[in-house]
Amino acid sequence: APTTTVNESATGYALANLQIASLTANSGTTNTVATFTSTDAGAGINLTDNSGTSTLQTNGANLPIQFRVDGSTKATLDSSGNLGIGTSSPDTLLHVSATSPHIDIGAQGGNRGKIGYHDLDVYIGSTSSTGEIHFKNNISSAGAPQSSGDTKMVITDSNVGIGTTSPGQKLHLSFSDTDTSFSGGSGG
């Protein structure tokens, strides 16, 4: 295939409606490989094949970057660094929005942990029938939660353990101090 090398360091080239079969850019020792400029308030880069179009788009300085698929915004990264999936106005570092959103944590196709939300309720669980749910504190900021921290409560096989990692009853309490009290009442 024919190759044309363009070297321009001063002003660049103004090209409109240029069609290139394949493009390779090498910035050499500079960090900016390419700059795309729009003359209005928005700019986007479209990636199109025979099945659809994906777009990386922004609409002005300090405005969010949108990740779009076939014209629909799927994710938004705002100027504060908040990432929204299913929302164009993320409220926090990671904001997942849908009618009943959930997050899978784990290997593709394997057992996973799930965190979900539906009708004002939060769901935490495992796709494994023998998986456990551990509630911990003091987890190392650099470590994995399964190998650091203090287990405060475990839910396993319909048993709940507080102060133990292997509950043997429906409710298994284990204490090392004498400042423990229980209270209860009747009700339905």
Side-chain angles (χ1 to χ4, degrees):
T3 301
T4 302
T5 302
V6 177
N7 292 313
E8 180 62 39
S9 59
T11 60
Y13 287 94
L15 303 171
N17 299 319
L18 175 67
Q19 293 185 357
I20 301 173
S22 176
L23 173 66
T24 300
N26 183 340
S27 66
T29 58
T30 41
N31 291 330
T32 302
V33 175
T35 300
F36 299 93
T37 304
S38 174
T39 57
D40 64 7
I45 298 172
N46 290 335
L47 305 171
T48 304
D49 66 11
N50 62 359
S51 63
T53 300
S54 296
T55 305
L56 177 64
Q57 177 178 324
T58 186
N59 288 311
N62 295 320
L63 291 178
I65 296 173
Q66 296 176 334
F67 301 87
R68 300 171 61 86
V69 177
D70 292 331
S72 174
T73 300
K74 301 300 182 186
T76 300
L77 180 64
D78 73 12
S79 61
S80 297
N82 296 336
L83 178 63
I85 300 172
T87 178
S88 59
S89 303
D91 294 329
T92 188
L93 285 176
L94 177 61
H95 183 163
V96 180
S97 179
T99 302
S100 296
H102 69 274
I103 298 172
D104 281 14
I105 303 168
Q108 176 82 23
N111 285 321
R112 297 175 304 282
K114 288 185 169 276
I115 301 171
Y117 175 85
H118 181 75
D119 287 341
L120 304 177
D121 297 325
V122 175
Y123 297 87
I124 300 171
S126 170
T127 60
S128 169
S129 62
T130 59
E132 299 177 347
I133 301 171
H134 293 250
F135 295 87
K136 292 182 153 192
N137 66 0
N138 295 325
I139 296 173
S140 167
S141 60
Q146 71 273 16
S147 58
S148 69
D150 303 319
T151 298
K152 298 300 177 185
M153 186 170 78
V154 175
I155 302 172
T156 176
D157 195 27
S158 299
N159 294 341
V160 176
I162 299 175
T164 179
T165 58
S166 53
Q169 306 292 323
K170 292 294 178 192
L171 177 60
H172 185 153
L173 305 173
S174 177
F175 300 99
S176 60
D177 62 31
T178 58
D179 294 331
T180 305
S181 64
F182 297 93
S183 63
S186 62

